Amino acid sequence: MAKILLEMKNITKTFPGVKALDNVNLKVEEGEIHALVGENGAGKSTLMNVLSGIYPYGSYEGDIIYDGEVCKFDTIKDSEAKGIVIIHQELALIPYMTIAENMFLGNERGTKYKINWNETNDRASELLKTVGLKETPQTLIKDIGVGKQQLVEIAKALAKNAKLLILDEPTASLNEDDSKALLELLLKFKKEGMTSIIISHKLNEVSYVADKITVIRDGATIETLDKKTDDISEGRIIKGMVGRELSDRFPKRESHIGDVMMEVKDWNVYHPLYTERKVVDNVSIKVKKGEVVGISGLMGAGRTELAMSLFGKSYGDKISGQLFINGKEVHLNSVQEAIKHKLAYVTEDRKGNGLILSNPIKINTTLANLDAISKHSIIDKDKEYAVAVEYKEKLKTKCPSVEQNVGNLSGGNQQKVLLAKWMFADPDVLILDEPTRGIDVGAKYEIYCIINQLVAEGKSVIMISSEMPEILGMCDRIYVMNEGRIVGELEGSEVTQELIMSHILKASSKGE
């Protein structure tokens, strides 16, 4: 029988007004990949923060037994000294430092007074080879993509002699190829004896890579499924997560499509720093009233750049082309002008650009439409509160009160606050950029219902998503983008993932 490397017994963690973990139990065997799944707010990240010492001993009840020893970690340094290393969903790398500098930050090679740069760079080179990165240790973090940055984080963990590697949503920001490469790396580490815990909402990846899957719901352990003996299909995992069968992942919608609401003609955008590089190349699209239009493509295809440049030129240089809303040409030179013309953009980066995490839900909800809750430039606090409560109920946002700071909410509930912010602005056209990234199937379903409700009211929605099943399940029409260009327009029941990919590959091979 395999050795139990980690046992968490009866872990209970309470925050003011909320019991985040209620008597949770977890056993992880040495050399296995163990997945933690559950809806947003179920307590997965909280449990791992308890394990890694982010929540110190004494701030929770229960025991952590690691490698046969009861552990009482006061800081993250204590858990790292035992070989427990956590990689968070938001990568903790410094853009203007080199790969080597990032890998050994706080774990420097050399003496107390002097860093040994030869040793640092040599060890960094070894670890980069281990994770399959060909970059040199002197490469700046800002000059590599998100997929490679994730591998640097893993190399950084290996530099700390990790025996138990914890990955929180490691593929949330990665494209399909980078995700596959990362999962294969975990399987390689497993063969070498490494133990991993992975938190992920991508259930197909969980089924592929995990030996065991522990389901957490509402802060309690529901069950642990074993790949050798149990059904670990997506449907079975979802049943454990949400407490019921979720027969249809995408809610049904009756389409009532009207006239063209927004049209973009011959739109060109250049990179704001490398001003000779065209990132959006002669794009023409249109979206009708009551229609959900998808924009599909690989990471780097120019989808976000297109969306942000349309939204008050908030991205790009030398922008040219025509934009029509309700048949009239408009020139939107600022975000304020875009909002005034009933255009809204829900960013893919909810924490960085979408929300003010240190502010309450009520302030975030009304931020894009302050005129509606103000008189003579003075905010009516009662109105602000009432609006926030209305959207909390409408979107089923889970929170004790709208006075709570947004930073304390789970990812899915943060996403609902971001949607509420732009719904309160009452747009005619809503651009959603990766609206369900990093959130669970239950919260996704609720967001899909909100999208359906918006188009039923005659609004137009443009959805950018890297998840092809989502694009296929939600959109009436799909534009395929590749290297800044539209390379296909698809609609109808014949649209498949293969058809979308064939348009991308065809365009790539032609050099379009």
Side-chain angles (χ1 to χ4, degrees):
M1 191 174 163
K3 173 188 167 186
I4 301 294
L5 179 67
L6 169 72
E7 187 171 4
M8 300 184 79
K9 291 170 81 171
N10 309 119
I11 303 292
T12 298
K13 172 72 180 162
T14 306
F15 296 104
V18 183
K19 191 176 262 192
L21 297 172
D22 188 2
N23 221 32
V24 170
N25 292 286
L26 174 70
K27 278 185 188 178
V28 179
E29 289 182 2
E30 193 168 52
E32 77 175 0
I33 299 175
H34 197 112
L36 269 185
V37 300
E39 296 188 89
N40 287 102
K44 309 177 297 293
S45 296
T46 303
L47 184 66
M48 291 300 98
N49 287 342
V50 165
L51 171 59
S52 59
I54 292 170
Y55 298 137
Y57 179 74
S59 69
Y60 60 88
E61 295 166 37
D63 292 314
I64 297 169
I65 302 158
Y66 176 73
D67 209 7
E69 183 187 336
V70 176
C71 295
K72 300 176 180 180
F73 300 134
D74 288 323
T75 67
I76 198 162
K77 283 275 185 197
D78 296 341
S79 63
E80 286 181 352
K82 294 278 186 186
I84 300 170
V85 183
I86 186 166
I87 298 172
H88 295 281
Q89 186 175 350
E90 274 79 34
L91 301 181
L93 299 172
I94 298 169
Y96 285 91
M97 287 177 78
T98 67
I99 289 175
E101 287 167 338
N102 272 279
M103 277 170 60
F104 291 98
L105 194 61
N107 181 32
E108 287 80 6
R109 311 285 94 174
T111 66
K112 191 176 178 182
Y113 303 103
K114 189 179 180 186
I115 292 171
N116 184 330
W117 287 111
N118 288 334
E119 188 187 337
T120 300
N121 289 319
D122 289 348
R123 183 71 179 125
S125 287
E126 285 171 35
L127 293 169
L128 289 175
K129 275 182 200 151
T130 303
V131 299
L133 265 183
K134 291 175 183 162
E135 269 66 20
T136 67
Q138 289 78 28
T139 304
L140 295 180
I141 290 294
K142 74 176 184 64
D143 294 330
I144 61 173
V146 180
K148 289 179 178 179
Q149 288 181 25
Q150 188 69 265
L151 294 177
V152 170
E153 279 281 19
I154 293 173
K156 184 178 173 181
L158 297 179
K160 294 172 182 172
N161 301 315
K163 295 190 188 83
L164 174 60
L165 187 61
I166 304 162
L167 302 106
D168 192 350
E169 296 290 352
T171 64
S173 301
L174 304 188
N175 63 31
E176 217 164 292
D177 289 345
D178 287 342
S179 297
K180 189 83 182 355
L182 191 140
L183 296 177
E184 293 298 340
L185 186 62
L186 289 186
L187 290 169
K188 177 189 154 208
F189 288 163
K190 177 188 155 183
K191 281 181 187 164
E192 294 164 1
M194 170 88 75
T195 309
S196 303
I197 297 174
I198 180 171
I199 298 173
S200 181
H201 290 307
K202 295 185 179 178
L203 300 185
N204 59 328
E205 294 181 358
V206 166
S207 301
Y208 175 68
V209 84
D211 299 296
K212 291 201 186 79
I213 299 162
T214 293
V215 180
I216 297 180
R217 186 167 76 233
D218 298 330
T221 318
I222 300 301
E223 60 189 346
T224 295
L225 303 171
D226 189 327
K227 189 181 254 184
K228 290 176 190 159
T229 55
D230 299 316
D231 171 15
I232 60 161
S233 64
E234 289 184 46
R236 175 66 187 83
I237 299 168
I238 290 166
K239 187 180 178 185
M241 284 170 61
V242 301
R244 64 187 190 282
E245 302 277 358
L246 200 60
S247 53
D248 202 337
R249 303 275 280 276
F250 304 99
K252 295 279 182 282
R253 179 176 80 244
E254 273 187 42
S255 292
H256 299 287
I257 295 170
D259 298 332
V260 172
M261 176 76 87
M262 183 175 98
E263 186 169 8
V264 179
K265 286 184 178 176
D266 306 321
W267 199 257
N268 293 284
V269 181
Y270 288 81
H271 194 284
L273 297 177
Y274 310 106
T275 52
E276 296 312 304
R277 196 174 120 213
K278 196 185 261 195
V279 290
V280 176
D281 190 355
N282 215 40
V283 163
S284 295
I285 61 170
K286 55 187 165 191
V287 56
K288 298 172 183 174
K289 288 179 185 176
E291 184 179 37
V292 180
V293 169
I295 302 183
S296 182
L298 302 178
M299 198 174 280
R303 298 166 302 166
T304 294
E305 290 82 353
L306 170 64
M308 289 180 70
S309 64
L310 291 170
F311 185 58
K313 297 184 178 171
S314 48
Y315 173 90
D317 190 57
K318 297 189 286 191
I319 297 170
S320 64
Q322 293 176 290
L323 174 61
F324 299 85
I325 295 178
N326 274 323
K328 289 181 184 170
E329 186 171 2
V330 293
H331 301 278
L332 311 180
N333 293 312
S334 68
V335 167
Q336 288 79 2
E337 284 182 23
I339 294 169
K340 193 174 149 194
H341 283 87
K342 302 284 190 179
L343 178 62
Y345 169 65
V346 177
T347 173
E348 63 176 336
D349 180 11
R350 60 177 172 256
K351 291 190 174 181
N353 295 325
L355 298 165
I356 304 171
L357 300 182
S358 58
N359 277 4
I361 293 164
K362 62 178 186 180
I363 288 175
N364 277 278
T365 302
T366 55
L367 209 52
N369 192 9
L370 290 175
D371 286 348
I373 56 157
S374 306
K375 199 170 183 182
H376 308 305
S377 299
I378 297 168
I379 291 170
D380 182 330
K381 294 290 182 185
D382 292 338
K383 222 180 228 184
E384 178 185 64
Y385 183 84
V387 166
V389 168
E390 180 194 336
Y391 278 92
K392 169 191 177 289
E393 288 166 2
K394 196 185 277 188
L395 274 60
K396 299 179 186 161
T397 309
K398 285 181 191 166
C399 58
S401 153
V402 295
E403 304 282 359
Q404 186 177 22
N405 282 355
V406 170
N408 295 333
L409 299 180
S410 68
N413 288 305
Q414 286 181 359
Q415 192 67 16
K416 287 180 183 180
V417 175
L418 184 57
L419 274 171
K421 167 183 159 181
W422 289 111
M423 285 168 69
F424 180 56
D426 193 29
D428 289 332
V429 182
L430 187 61
I431 304 173
L432 304 174
D433 196 349
E434 303 287 0
T436 66
R437 173 175 285 168
I439 64 175
D440 64 78
V441 284
K444 279 183 181 183
Y445 189 88
E446 288 174 351
I447 284 169
Y448 299 149
C449 289
I450 294 162
I451 292 168
N452 284 356
Q453 182 191 326
L454 288 167
V455 292
E457 293 166 6
K459 312 280 190 195
S460 305
V461 170
I462 296 173
M463 180 191 269
I464 297 168
S465 176
S466 298
E467 292 189 31
M468 286 203 201
E470 179 170 88
I471 284 276
L472 295 169
M474 286 301 296
C475 299
D476 299 295
R477 205 158 40 85
I478 300 162
Y479 288 105
V480 184
M481 252 185 118
N482 186 59
E483 295 177 4
R485 293 185 175 195
I486 298 294
V487 295
E489 183 183 350
L490 310 168
E491 65 180 305
S493 55
E494 83 285 350
V495 184
T496 61
Q497 293 191 38
E498 290 75 18
L499 189 58
I500 292 172
M501 278 310 297
S502 73
H503 276 78
I504 293 169
L505 296 171
K506 229 180 269 178
S508 298
S509 65
K510 284 179 187 171
E512 285 183 12

